[in-house]
CSV table of all heavy atoms in Angstrom, one decimal:
chain,number,residue,atom,x,y,z
A,14,GLY,N,-31.9,41.5,27.5
A,14,GLY,CA,-31.8,40.3,26.6
A,14,GLY,C,-32.8,40.4,25.4
A,14,GLY,O,-32.4,40.1,24.3
A,72,GLU,N,-12.3,28.2,66.2
A,72,GLU,CA,-13.5,28.8,65.6
A,72,GLU,C,-14.0,28.0,64.4
A,72,GLU,O,-15.2,27.8,64.2
A,72,GLU,CB,-13.2,30.2,65.2
A,72,GLU,CG,-14.4,31.0,64.8
A,72,GLU,CD,-14.1,32.5,64.5
A,72,GLU,OE1,-12.9,32.9,64.7
A,72,GLU,OE2,-15.0,33.2,64.0
A,270,GLY,N,-21.2,38.0,34.7
A,270,GLY,CA,-21.1,37.5,33.3
A,270,GLY,C,-21.5,38.6,32.3
A,270,GLY,O,-21.8,39.7,32.7
Side-chain angles (χ1 to χ4, degrees):
E72 185 178 352

